[in-house]
Structures are given as C-alpha cells and as structure tokens.
Amino acid sequence: MKVACLRLALLAAVLALASATAGRAQEQGGRQAFEAKVVYCKTCHGLSGEGYRGYYPMPRLAGQQPKYLENQLRAFIERRRVNPVMFNVAHVLTPATLAALTAHFHNLNPPPLGGAPRDNVGLGRTIYEQGLPEANIAACSACHGPEAKGHEEIPRLAGQLYPYTVKSLTYWGRERGQGGVRDDTSAIMVVTTHNLDAAQISALAAYLAFLK
Amino acid sequence: MDARRTGGSRFGAAETLPPLAEGRRRAFDARSLLVVGAVGLTGAVTLGLAGFSSSAKAVPSFARQTGQPCATCHTAFPELTPMGRRFKLNGYTITGGTEPWEAPPIAAMVLPTFTKTKVQADTPPTNPDGYPIAHVNDNFIMQQASLFYGGKIFDNLGALAQGTYDKASQHTYLDNTDIRYTNTFNFGPLNALVGLNANNGPTVQDVWNTTPAWGFPYVAATLAPAFSPPLTQVENGWGGRTVGTGAYVFLNDMLYLEGAAYHNMSKGMLGTLGQTCPYNSDYIQNVNAWAAAAYPAVPGLPFPAWQPWSQNPQNYSLACSSSSLAYASPYWRVALEKNWGEHSLMIGAFGFYPEVLPGRVMGYGVDHYRDIGWDAQYQWINDVHAVTLKVTRISEMQNLEGTFAQGIATQFINAMGILNMYGVAPIPGNGPSNPINYLMSFKASGTYVWDRTISGSIGYFHVTGSHDYWQYGNALYNTFQTGAIYSNGNPSSAVGLPNSAGLIFDFAYMPFSKGGPELWPWANAKIGLSYTHYLSLYGGTANFDGNGIYYNGSSWRTHTATDNNTLFLYTWVAF
Amino acid sequence: MNAHTARSRIMKRTSAIVAVAVIAALAATPGQTQELPVRNCTWCHGPSAQGSGAAPRIAGQREQYLVSQLHAFHDRSRDNPASKQYMWGATARLSPEMARDFALYFSSLPAEAAEDGDTGLAALGKVIYEQGVPDANVVSCIVCHGPRGEGFEAIPRLGGMSHGYLKSRLEQWGQGYHASARPMPLVARTLSADEIEALASYLSFLK
Amino acid sequence: MKTLRLAFLLWPALLAAASTLSFAEDRPPGPLPKPQLDAKIAYCKTCHGLSGQGFRGAYPMPRLAGQQPEYLEEQLRAFIERRRLHPLMQNVARALNPATLSAIAAHFKELNPKPLGGAPKDLIAAGKKIYEEGVPEKQIAPCASCHGPDARGDGAMPRLAGQLHDYTTQTLASWSKERGQDPLKPDSSAIMQPIAQGLTHEQAAAVAAYLGSLE
C-alpha cells in the first residue's frame, strides 16, 4: 500500500512537472522545438551524436540507421527494450519529431569517440568479418555489412562506444525483446550474444569502436 | 597592528592633558574643507605612487604565499572571513602561491590620515617626549608606517610580526606579533587542529573580530579626541607589553578552545621592542620630583626631563604606563563557530585575569582584575555581498588592592608630611575611592561590504562602571584643579562615572581586494572616512567633566561630549 | 635499592613511555606528508575535506574529476565567481604532478552526505534525477552520474554534495559560467529554478 | 528413405574429404550430442532466420526452411570444396562434420514458416508465367519442370518457394561467378548456368518475385 501510494505521489509529481514544463516546450515554435529536442538528445549522446561515456555509456547515434532508431524508440515505449530513462524520453516524441530526429542523426558523421582497448582489435575484426563457426558465432558482417554501417533495421555498429557495445552484447537477453513480444527483431541476436564470451565481446566492441 | 588608541590607561596620555594651551577656534569652514580635499588628493597620490602595492592588514605577503586575493581572507580588512580565520589558525603556513625564496614574506604598510574634531582640543596632542607635533585640530599625519613579516617560517611554523613606526608618539615598536606552530590530528571522528602560540598581547592571537585587538573600529585616530572612554584591561594597556604563550585546539572545524598565560616584560625588554618607556613612571615621578627640588626652573632647557613639573607637566603625565604584570596572568577563550553555506555564526567567551603591579611600585600589593567577555559574530558572505554583525560585552571586576593601598599611603604621606627617600608619594594623586570597582564595555557593530570593494560600517559602544570619584574625577575636585599639578591622571567626570557611549560610522573603498594591479597583484589599499559621534562621556553630555577653559581671551567654554565628535580620513596602503 | 630510586625509575620509565607514545602519535598522523601540503586544500574545504561554505566537499570525489577541475582552474576555463576568486590563485602554480597527488589523496578520503537540502523537495528531485523531464528537454542525470550519484571517470560524484554548492553550480551554468564543461551548460539551461532546488535537495541526501 | 540412402552412398566420399581437412581430427565423426546440435542450429538461424525463413542483413540470407536436404548438403560441401565461392559460408561449412550436416539439413527440411516476403507484387504474374512456361524464344525451359509445380524441389533440386526475392535475383545474376568454380570437379550447378545467363535481369526479378511470394 505504502509503496503504491508513494508511486502514485511520484507519478502525480511527474505529471504536474510534465504539465508545467509542457507549456515551456510548447511556447517555442515547431522548428525551434525540434532544434531544442535535437539539443536535448545531444546533451547525452554527444554534440555530434558521437556518443558519450557517462555512468552508463550513451550510444553513438551519428550515422545510425533511421529504421533501427525508430524501432528502438518504439521498443522503449512498448517496453520491449527496458530502459527507464529512454522510456521517458521516447514516449514524448511525436512520430513527426521522431522521423526528423532519426534523419538528423543519420546524416551526422563525426569520427568515432574511440577509447577502447587496442590489444584485441585483431580478434574483433576476425569475429566481425568471419564469425567463429566452431563457436557458433555468425559473422557480424553478414548482417551489419562489411563496413558495419548497418541496413534498415540492422543497426550501424561502426564507431559505437566500446562500453556500450560490451554492455549491449553482455546483457542482450535481459534488456531487449522483453515483455514476450514475438516479433521483436532483437531475437535474432540472442544466440550470438549468448555464444560470445567476455573476451570475444570485448574484442568485437573494441574493433567496432575504432571503425569509421 | 591596531591603531593605538589614545587614552585608556590610568597613566595614559591624552586624557591626562591639563587644560593649558589655548588654541584658535576653527570652525568647520571652507578652509578645513580645503584641507580635507588636499588630504584626499594626497591619499590619491599616495595610492598612485604605491599604486602597485597592497595592503597592510590584508598582509600582502600572505596573499603572495597563498596565491589568494585579499578578499579570500578579508571582508573589509582586517576583518576576517571564515577562510581568513582558518588561515590564521593554521599558523599562517598555508601555501599555494609564490615560494619564500621568490618573494620573501615581507610586507609594508603606510597609513596617512587626517583628523578633525568638531571642536578643537584644548591643547595640541603631544608625544611622550613632549614635543607637540600636531595642531589642536585638523591634523594630517603619516600616522603609521609598518613593516611585516607575515607567513610560513618553516614546515608548520608561521608568524605575523609587525614593526610599526608611530608618528604621533614618534617611536618605533614591535606591534602585533603572533607566532604559531600547528598540526592536525585525527582521533576517530574527531578532527583536531592543534596549535602552540606566542604573542604580545591578549587577543592578538584571536581570529574573530569581536575581541579587542582586532575589533571595530579597525583604525582610529592617534591624535584625537581629547577625551575617550576608559577601557578594560583586555581592551587596552597590554598590547605589545606582555608575552603570551598558549595552546589552542580547533575541533571538527567548529569548537575553539584556547588557554594562555601572559607574562611581564622587563623594562629592558620593553625598551628593546620599542615600547615607549624611556622613563618609567616610578622613575619619572621620583627622580623628577627630586630634580625639581634640586634644579631651579630653566625655561627652554632642551631636555625637558630636567624641567620641573610645573613647567612641563606633560612630560610627567605622558610617560607610558609602566604598570606591569605581577605574575603570569591567565587568559582563556572558548568559541563555537558553525558554518553553513554562505553563513557563519560564532558564539564565544573569553577571560583575562591580569595581576597588575600599579606603576611598578612595589610594596603596596597587586591589583587583581577579572575580565570576562561574551561575544558573537554572524557573517553572510556570497559572491557579491558580505555582512558581518558583531557584538561584544566585556565585564571587568577590579580588585584594586594595590592602587588603593598606594592611594592610602599617598594620602597619609601628604597629610603627615612624611617623605620617603625621594620625598614623594607612590602616586601623584590619590588612589581609587573604592577598593573594588567594575567596568563594563559593550560594543556592537555591523559591516556591509559590496563586491569586496566598498564597505560601510556602523558601530555602537557603551561603557558603564561603578562610581569612583578618585578614579574618574568629580566636579569639586576638578574645579579646584588649575592645571595638572593635582591631576590624578583622570580628571574626566564631573559625577565620578566612566559611563560613555557613542556611534561610529565608517565608509571605505578597497580598490585591490579582488587582486591588485598586474605589476604587484598582492597590493591592498583602503581609503576610508570614519566619523565618531559621542552620545555621552564620563556620565554626562554637556560639561561632563565639570571643567572648562577660557579661550579667545575671554569666553569660558565647557566640554561637551559631542565636542569630541571626530571626522577621520585615512588611506591605508600595504604592499 | 631503596624506595626513592624505585620511584625515580618508575617515573623515568613512565616518561619514556609517554615520550614514545607522543612520538608514535605524531608519526601516525595520517596524510600529513611533507610533499603534499593538503592543508592548502583543507584550509577551505574543511579539515576532513567535507566542504565548507562555498568550498565543495572533495573527500571521496572522483580522482579524474578532481584532476580535470584543477586543470580547469589552472587554465581558467572554470570561471565561476568562487572559482575565480579562490581557485584560480590556488592553482596558478600547481604542477600537474601535484594536482594528481592531491586528487589521489582526496579521492581516497571517506565522504559524508551534507544532507542540507529541503526534505520536502527530495522526492521531486529524485524523479528529475532519475528520469529527467523529457517534455521540457531536461535530461536524466542518472545516466551520467549514476544511480547513487557516484559519478564516473571524470564525471563528478554528486551524491551528498552540499545543496548550496550544487545549486550555485547549476545556476551558474545557466548563466554561462564554465561553458567548457560540456554537456552541463546544455543540461542546466533547461532546468527551472524549482527543478534546480529539487535536484540539489535530493542529491544532498543521496549516499 | 531417399535421404538416408543418399547419405549412405555419399558416406565414404565425405569421410575421405573430411579426413583431408585439418580440423577433422578434433571432431568426432558422429552427429553432435543434442545440446550442441541445437546450438549449431540456433547458430544457423542467427542469419537464416529464427524459423529458417531467411533474413535480410547486409546481404540477403537465403531461406533454408523446407529446403531439400540433399541440396543443402551438396551446397555445404560445395562451400568447403570451393566449388561455390562464399567467404563466410566456407568457414561455416568447414565447422560441420557430415553427420551434423545431415542432422541440420533434416531439421530445416521440417520447418515451414511463411515466406519472408517483401517482393514487388507487380512482378508476380510475369514471374509465374516464366516459372510455369519458361521463355521459349530463349530456349529456357519452364522452371517447374525441374523444381516442381509448387517449387518445392526434389532431391538435389532445391526448393525455391518462399525464397528471398533479392537472394534469388542475386544468385541468378552471379551464377557463373559463384557456382561450379572448380573446373576439375564440375557439379550439378552447370545445369542452371545457361538458364541463369539467358534470363534478363527483369525476367530474373519477376521469377524471384513470384517465388518469394510462394508458400
């Protein structure tokens, strides 16, 4: 009961805050509001969408496939992908804003943030390009492309933050494809992420982190 | 460092001046305005010349040593911020700026001032050697020039030592000096800053501006006014003339505890340190009395010590107090300071128990004093504003055993015509009427500083005490007094009361608080104007001393409290 | 051996023990190394570096953050009023080695929560801290500063910092100070005064 | 029955081929234990779709569901022997021993998901015509004659129904560059070579679209 009450109170607070601040947002015109939203995204994801290393790694959005971005934002809203922060962020975006945002980020091309361990980049490259058939690890390049630029719903991986890739691959099954939704595309990655060991994930993430 | 106030001690200077000289009354006329303007200009020129310099009480060598601007430690110098207090408590050893070998921790200060009282003094102020160096009013004087050693000496040892040349008294002496060794210890949750300290006057070592040595007003005229209220022992009389050694501990950045003992300095020591006692009063009284008898009056003789009292009375009365501490006199201090955000509040108490040998005359016993002070200080300092509110109440019990005995003896000697080996009584007048007196001094002040550069202060002081005709004078006695011959040194009150009160206003501009000029960024300066308004003096307002003088050849003028209202213009430059 | 010599021996021994104890206590005094004048810092930041007045808590702060800030004071890119007044001078002659040593020392000290915020606002502050206000483009703080405000690498620890310090920092970013500390100027610009108050309150209690 | 027999016949040849490969030593010749086999199948499905329906990654990953085991096995061997060129699949195939290969092929044969779709619908009719009637003016036989009227394939003839249209188009376009690459070991891919060459790009796209929609 107590917890419920508290939650209710918090929800009320959030709603009050939201309604108070919605006015603030609405005061600004459409274009301005969009630009404010872009800045908002970039506050965490880097001023050129290159990603940012905070307590949690904020993934690179620059050059990302619009379809993938859209799908992920929808996944946050539908709780297929669990991320309380991004849930809040995503559910206030209108479809038009969302489309404009994904297009905006797709067109950015900053150099990778880098900052990954370099000693296993070779192994990472092998896994990416050829997979490890004996370990049942498919070649990433088959889907993500030889330059890791992605395709439609398949995300760009090139230049992605090392800690983000590591985290994503490590906790794939716990973060994505949640809520028993059947047609979530993330399922395709479950086996691969399961088969990759920590060293392989690290190598792969390091290779991708430097990829332009 | 504190400007030495005139008067105060029983054997002090100004208040004992007999109403002899006759000056021309000068109204606050166009001419004096011209003088004010000239002084202002001089101040500005001084500033221009010393333009690449810093200030005195914000000791520039500290600024160099720490790399901090004056305003880190001072609101309006010498008033300290919480950081300034901690810098001092840490024994002046904080570094971060230049190394000692790059710039020695030496600083200098000059203090040119202009003083004007509402009504001129009866006689021009004089120095202890008897030479008038000033007018009865409108005095411009390079009041003080000081040289400091301020900073870390070695490791955890640091010091502030000030050598001052005092123009008014024309002597150089060791001013406020404070040497510390400090260290920090952790005992579980208890964090202790421990220090050993040696200083030369009670409360010189204190870090709050509620205690006398560093209290408001921070600078006062050495040449005015002719009358000023009596002071308690802890407020005056011992600075520079004792050696205090003690230890303190500052617990958890909050609770300050200190104990110290003040010791007497020998005459030789005092002489070495420049304290003006060329002739100690016992010596002067006795030898000069003998000289007066042995030599006829020789008007104009260059060395006035050999002139008889009647011809050069100020020579006798102006001798510095040579009362000494009979034995080690304890001092304690407790303060609780709490800082939260931009606020700082201190509530504290202190005590000083001087055991005084009056006039260094042996054989009559010792005066026992008990000074207890309560003080509180509140500060609010943010990026732009700084407000400091201070209140101090010192109550003093005076067990005047020694002085009283001397008085009895004097009366007896005078009455019986008995001569001692010099033929004079132990004290020139009489002792106090009561063996036990009390004196209470209350001070409250508030200072506001804007942007660390412009300050405005208001202070209130109030002195009350027990009724004592002999100590504070009485109308009957004063009426018969024609000159200083029978002066007991304190002919101030018509009703035998020390009660006095007044207001002090001070405005100042500190151009370099945020950092001095590029060439010499540690410079500090303060150009200020202060006005002291006396509400009452010695238990009265009009004719408070029951005395007066003829002036301009004919009219009789009595002394009124407000006559002493003082306008004081100062330029304080340290570098 | 008579009683007198016995007593004098006991006294000698006692004084020897006392002397040894005093020397040991002095020797055991932590952190007071000759090379690292920590009192230059604790002077203002408090004897256990828990912060005092405008000086924030530095005990337990992230080492990389401390280093980066000392450099920011040194190159004057951190230009907040208090930084300008106190820290520019304090770091003007600070060597990179000493900056690192100070950072290492203070980051290793235990931190205490200031707990000086408004308890009534803490719940709201928590919501903003953890979720941001997406409608108003206020980002969530938790993603960079962590669930307990512990910070990350050069991103500062915020949990338990004093309300006043946090508040003035956020306000001053909004006013254009310390613009180089991206992305904080962007973050602070979107925060309203009430939200800053709430955030600072919440964080002052966060451990 | 047929599958079994074929496997039996091929067994010695496969063994010989396998023994020449260096990795063969550390792999038991028999089929993998069930958990490992499941892992291997899951591995295949990572690219070929969770139901073997194919997947569009950077390249189209062909549908394997319902595919003829004989064809699958032959193609995997072709990858190993470099008769069919594919850098990724060569590695993948090398990691499979013959028993595992058969088990995997059998597994995919049993799957029957819906086609992945995505083909341009306006080409379906034209494709159906070519599939069923061929292109007589170019001597191209109806596809149905070999691959069956419902395009399910048979034995060595692959199933085409439901195949990704982009995969089909790409395969036909690059047939001679991808398949039958070992002149010393000609294989059955030679049958398709003239057909693949004879079809124009548009015709191939039409056939692919038709096949892509076929269940």
Side-chain angles (χ1 to χ4, degrees):
Chain A
M1 247 335 262
K2 218 172 178 181
V3 176
C5 282
L6 194 68
R7 275 174 169 264
L8 213 64
L10 279 182
L11 192 68
V14 177
L15 286 178
L17 198 67
S19 60
T21 48
R24 231 192 298 163
Q26 276 165 9
E27 281 165 26
Q28 303 154 344
R31 177 83 190 136
Q32 215 184 335
F34 170 68
E35 267 160 16
K37 197 53 90 178
V38 170
V39 171
Y40 169 60
C41 299
K42 289 180 175 176
T43 305
C44 285
H45 290 278
L47 292 182
S48 309
E50 74 275 25
Y52 188 78
R53 272 192 289 275
Y55 182 86
Y56 304 105
M58 261 59 78
R60 175 188 173 105
L61 301 182
Q64 190 51 280
Q65 296 294 336
K67 271 203 174 172
Y68 172 75
L69 281 183
E70 204 178 323
N71 181 31
Q72 292 309 306
L73 287 167
R74 207 175 306 119
F76 290 130
I77 298 172
E78 294 165 9
R79 305 267 192 192
R80 284 184 279 125
R81 181 168 172 186
V82 177
N83 185 320
V85 172
M86 286 306 296
F87 168 76
N88 285 310
V89 172
H91 92 279
V92 302
L93 297 174
T94 62
T97 311
L98 200 150
L101 282 175
T102 55
H104 175 86
F105 280 104
H106 181 65
N107 292 329
L108 298 177
N109 190 25
L113 207 57
R118 286 186 180 273
D119 39 351
N120 267 329
V121 169
L123 172 63
R125 185 188 175 125
T126 306
I127 296 171
Y128 186 82
E129 291 180 349
Q130 295 163 30
L132 295 174
E134 295 87 344
N136 297 333
I137 292 159
C140 314
S141 63
C143 289
H144 295 276
E147 294 180 306
K149 294 271 158 67
H151 175 68
E152 305 270 306
E153 288 183 2
I154 298 164
R156 173 194 170 113
L157 301 179
Q160 190 53 278
L161 267 64
Y162 169 81
Y164 175 77
T165 310
V166 169
K167 183 204 74 158
S168 296
L169 292 175
T170 309
Y171 300 110
W172 192 272
R174 270 188 260 167
E175 187 187 340
R176 310 213 188 194
Q178 304 299 301
V181 182
R182 305 211 50 166
D183 58 348
D184 190 87
T185 48
S186 69
I188 208 83
M189 284 293 293
V190 171
V191 172
T192 307
T193 56
H194 181 75
N195 289 347
L196 285 163
D197 66 25
Q200 291 161 343
I201 286 176
S202 170
L204 196 51
Y207 169 68
L208 292 169
F210 294 112
L211 209 58
K212 281 182 190 168
Chain B
M1 183 106 103
D2 197 37
R4 287 153 56 85
R5 298 179 188 86
T6 53
S9 95
R10 294 207 306 117
F11 298 90
E15 71 201 19
T16 66
L17 287 175
L20 272 187
E22 189 157 310
R24 287 166 300 128
R25 182 185 168 83
R26 258 190 249 158
F28 201 71
D29 53 10
R31 192 176 151 190
S32 60
L33 277 176
L34 206 72
V35 175
V36 174
V39 170
L41 196 65
T42 315
V45 169
T46 314
L47 201 65
L49 292 175
F52 307 105
S53 68
S54 136
S55 131
K57 295 220 171 170
V59 183
S61 60
F62 290 155
R64 281 198 298 277
Q65 174 178 307
T66 58
Q68 293 292 316
C70 312
T72 295
C73 291
H74 296 286
T75 52
F77 63 86
E79 190 174 89
L80 293 173
T81 63
M83 287 171 197
R85 291 193 277 278
R86 277 152 190 79
F87 177 76
K88 188 170 174 178
L89 289 174
N90 274 291
Y92 313 107
T93 57
I94 305 294
T95 56
T98 56
E99 300 293 342
W101 56 85
E102 295 171 87
I106 303 290
M109 167 188 119
V110 290
L111 180 59
T113 65
F114 171 77
T115 308
K116 177 179 183 60
T117 49
K118 187 177 173 196
V119 173
Q120 66 183 46
D122 296 339
T123 51
T126 53
N127 72 41
D129 291 332
Y131 296 112
I133 51 129
H135 313 289
V136 288
N137 209 347
D138 302 337
N139 284 302
F140 171 65
I141 185 172
M142 184 60 76
Q143 182 168 315
Q144 194 177 326
S146 294
L147 202 62
F148 294 89
Y149 177 93
K152 178 172 166 167
I153 298 169
F154 175 72
D155 196 15
N156 289 337
L157 184 69
L160 169 67
Q162 180 184 12
T164 294
Y165 172 71
D166 186 324
K167 177 71 175 172
S169 62
Q170 293 187 339
H171 75 292
T172 305
Y173 64 99
L174 185 71
D175 207 335
N176 292 328
T177 294
D178 179 28
I179 304 165
R180 289 162 191 261
Y181 178 83
T182 63
N183 210 341
T184 54
F185 298 93
N186 288 309
F187 307 104
L190 205 63
N191 187 291
L193 171 61
V194 178
L196 301 174
N197 175 271
N199 61 73
N200 67 345
T203 76
V204 163
Q205 76 277 33
D206 203 58
V207 297
W208 289 275
N209 294 95
T210 45
T211 49
W214 305 98
F216 183 82
Y218 304 120
V219 58
T222 46
L223 292 175
F227 295 89
S228 61
L231 299 164
T232 58
Q233 293 291 310
V234 71
E235 285 174 292
N236 190 51
W238 299 108
R241 296 192 293 117
T242 55
V243 178
T245 49
Y248 61 90
V249 59
F250 193 37
L251 295 170
N252 281 0
D253 212 33
M254 208 149 100
L255 180 63
Y256 178 78
L257 303 169
E258 183 196 348
Y262 284 86
H263 308 269
N264 197 38
M265 278 195 205
S266 69
K267 289 180 199 172
M269 183 74 159
L270 287 171
T272 307
L273 297 178
Q275 288 296 337
T276 45
C277 286
Y279 317 101
N280 289 295
S281 58
D282 50 347
Y283 174 81
I284 292 169
Q285 286 159 23
N286 293 297
V287 173
N288 280 286
W290 168 77
Y295 293 87
V298 186
L301 199 73
F303 194 39
W306 302 105
Q307 290 181 340
W309 189 304
S310 57
Q311 290 190 6
N312 200 344
Q314 61 264 49
N315 182 34
Y316 302 90
S317 55
L318 281 177
C320 80
S321 164
S322 67
S323 293
S324 63
L325 291 172
Y327 6 89
S329 302
Y331 168 86
W332 58 264
R333 173 77 162 126
V334 176
L336 192 65
E337 179 179 289
K338 176 77 183 147
N339 289 300
W340 71 103
E342 296 164 344
H343 310 271
S344 172
L345 179 68
M346 181 280 291
I347 296 169
F350 52 92
F352 182 46
Y353 308 84
E355 301 285 342
V356 180
L357 187 63
R360 288 184 192 254
V361 177
M362 307 266 219
Y364 297 93
V366 168
D367 289 348
H368 314 283
Y369 292 87
R370 189 208 66 192
D371 288 19
I372 302 287
W374 292 95
D375 58 337
Q377 175 175 303
Y378 166 76
Q379 275 185 316
W380 171 60
I381 302 171
N382 74 5
D383 299 334
V384 181
H385 312 284
V387 173
T388 308
L389 304 175
K390 302 177 287 284
V391 58
T392 313
R393 183 191 190 277
I394 300 167
S395 62
E396 179 174 270
M397 284 307 293
Q398 307 171 338
N399 184 349
L400 305 171
E401 222 175 275
T403 321
F404 194 73
Q406 288 183 16
I408 300 279
T410 301
Q411 288 177 21
F412 182 72
I413 287 165
N414 289 343
M416 303 300 285
I418 296 169
L419 298 179
N420 66 2
M421 67 175 280
Y422 295 116
V424 293
I427 50 174
N430 287 301
S433 306
N434 318 310
I436 291 176
N437 276 330
Y438 79 86
L439 189 62
M440 192 282 288
S441 166
F442 175 82
K443 283 181 175 180
S445 64
T447 299
Y448 169 75
V449 185
W450 180 78
D451 200 27
R452 311 181 197 289
T453 47
I454 294 171
S455 76
S457 307
I458 300 176
Y460 170 74
F461 61 87
H462 188 196
V463 175
T464 56
S466 47
H467 189 272
D468 191 312
Y469 278 128
W470 282 111
Q471 200 163 6
Y472 303 118
N474 66 76
L476 191 63
Y477 175 81
N478 288 340
T479 305
F480 284 107
Q481 216 180 322
T482 54
I485 303 295
Y486 300 111
S487 167
N488 66 349
N490 307 287
S492 299
S493 178
V495 291
L497 283 171
N499 301 3
S500 309
L503 292 166
I504 303 170
F505 305 89
D506 185 277
F507 299 94
Y509 172 56
M510 295 163 287
F512 303 142
S513 277
K514 289 192 278 190
E518 227 167 83
L519 191 69
W520 196 255
W522 311 283
N524 201 359
K526 188 176 187 177
I527 304 163
L529 178 70
S530 89
Y531 186 76
T532 307
H533 175 74
Y534 290 91
L535 298 166
S536 65
L537 271 171
Y538 290 95
T541 50
N543 195 15
F544 58 84
D545 63 346
N547 209 342
I549 58 160
Y550 286 105
Y551 77 114
N552 282 350
S554 60
S555 60
W556 175 258
R557 186 183 66 133
T558 55
H559 296 130
T560 299
T562 53
D563 289 353
N564 292 284
N565 289 2
T566 308
L567 181 76
F568 181 58
L569 187 65
Y570 57 94
T571 303
W572 206 343
V573 182
F575 44 90
Chain C
M1 185 190 290
N2 59 29
H4 180 75
T5 42
R7 197 163 44 226
S8 87
R9 274 186 60 170
I10 288 166
M11 281 190 53
K12 268 182 195 166
R13 198 175 302 164
T14 312
S15 20
I17 289 166
V18 168
V20 167
V22 166
I23 290 165
L26 287 170
T29 307
Q32 295 292 321
T33 50
Q34 284 285 326
E35 307 79 49
L36 199 61
V38 294
R39 273 206 267 173
N40 289 0
C41 310
T42 57
W43 168 29
C44 296
H45 290 274
S48 48
Q50 300 299 330
S52 177
R57 182 186 75 192
I58 51 175
Q61 186 52 278
R62 299 202 55 85
E63 185 187 344
Q64 283 154 287
Y65 173 73
L66 290 176
V67 171
S68 75
Q69 295 311 296
L70 287 171
H71 284 269
F73 292 128
H74 183 80
D75 66 23
R76 303 192 166 186
S77 57
R78 181 165 169 181
D79 56 356
N80 303 62
S83 312
K84 200 168 172 176
Q85 192 191 334
Y86 303 113
M87 293 309 294
W88 283 14
T91 56
R93 300 168 66 93
L94 193 67
S95 69
E97 294 73 34
M98 198 174 263
R100 232 178 17 239
D101 291 347
F102 274 134
L104 183 65
Y105 173 75
F106 286 108
S107 64
S108 69
L109 298 183
E112 294 160 21
E115 302 187 336
D116 58 350
D118 182 342
T119 44
L121 291 173
L124 179 59
K126 181 178 164 72
V127 172
I128 300 169
Y129 183 81
E130 294 181 353
Q131 303 175 13
V133 189
D135 289 290
N137 294 335
V138 173
V139 298
S140 134
C141 316
I142 198 172
V143 292
C144 281
H145 293 280
R148 312 305 307 166
E150 54 269 69
F152 174 76
E153 292 186 351
I155 295 168
R157 176 174 185 171
L158 301 182
M161 299 284 284
S162 75
H163 166 269
Y165 174 74
L166 293 165
K167 188 180 161 191
S168 70
R169 283 286 268 159
L170 288 170
E171 283 171 353
Q172 287 167 4
W173 266 312
Q175 293 156 10
Y177 291 106
H178 198 194
S180 61
R182 289 179 302 175
M184 285 311 294
L186 293 175
V187 177
R189 213 173 51 189
T190 59
L191 288 166
S192 70
D194 292 345
E195 287 161 354
I196 288 177
E197 191 69 43
L199 268 176
S201 291
Y202 169 64
L203 287 170
S204 75
F205 297 102
L206 192 62
K207 285 177 195 164
Chain D
M1 268 315 281
K2 210 169 186 180
T3 316
L4 262 176
R5 195 189 61 205
L6 251 172
F8 187 69
L9 284 173
L10 285 169
W11 194 236
L14 276 175
L15 267 185
S19 62
T20 59
L21 300 168
S22 57
F23 66 86
E25 282 87 338
D26 53 1
R27 280 179 200 284
L32 292 169
K34 174 121 175 67
Q36 287 174 33
L37 181 67
D38 287 348
K40 193 55 90 179
I41 289 168
Y43 163 63
C44 301
K45 289 178 175 174
T46 301
C47 287
H48 292 278
L50 295 180
S51 310
Q53 76 273 41
F55 186 74
R56 285 194 183 85
Y59 320 103
M61 273 27 108
R63 174 185 172 107
L64 301 183
Q67 192 52 280
Q68 296 297 335
E70 192 181 332
Y71 172 74
L72 270 188
E73 287 175 40
E74 161 61 13
Q75 290 309 308
L76 287 166
R77 266 199 310 279
F79 289 130
I80 294 171
E81 294 165 13
R82 300 224 174 207
R83 283 181 281 118
R84 180 173 174 185
L85 292 189
H86 195 286
L88 293 181
M89 283 310 292
Q90 190 204 349
N91 283 325
V92 172
R94 270 171 43 171
L96 302 172
N97 70 21
T100 307
L101 201 151
S102 304
I104 290 170
H107 173 84
F108 280 104
K109 170 74 177 142
E110 300 310 315
L111 299 178
N112 190 24
K114 289 219 155 40
L116 199 59
K121 293 209 163 60
D122 48 341
L123 296 177
I124 292 175
K128 181 171 166 51
K129 193 164 184 297
I130 295 169
Y131 185 84
E132 287 172 356
E133 298 166 18
V135 186
E137 59 273 26
K138 279 194 177 173
Q139 321 297 323
I140 292 173
C143 316
S145 60
C146 289
H147 293 280
D150 47 4
R152 293 275 164 93
D154 182 32
M157 296 296 165
R159 171 190 169 119
L160 301 180
Q163 188 55 280
L164 274 61
H165 74 96
D166 31 5
Y167 174 77
T168 310
T169 316
Q170 192 191 56
T171 305
L172 288 171
S174 60
W175 193 272
S176 58
K177 277 177 253 164
E178 189 185 328
R179 310 217 184 192
Q181 299 296 306
D182 189 348
L184 302 176
K185 270 193 176 174
D187 58 22
S188 56
S189 70
I191 298 165
M192 272 299 287
Q193 208 267 327
I195 300 167
Q197 227 164 14
L199 284 169
T200 63
H201 181 69
E202 288 72 24
Q203 288 165 335
V207 174
Y210 169 66
L211 293 172
S213 66
L214 213 54
E215 292 197 11

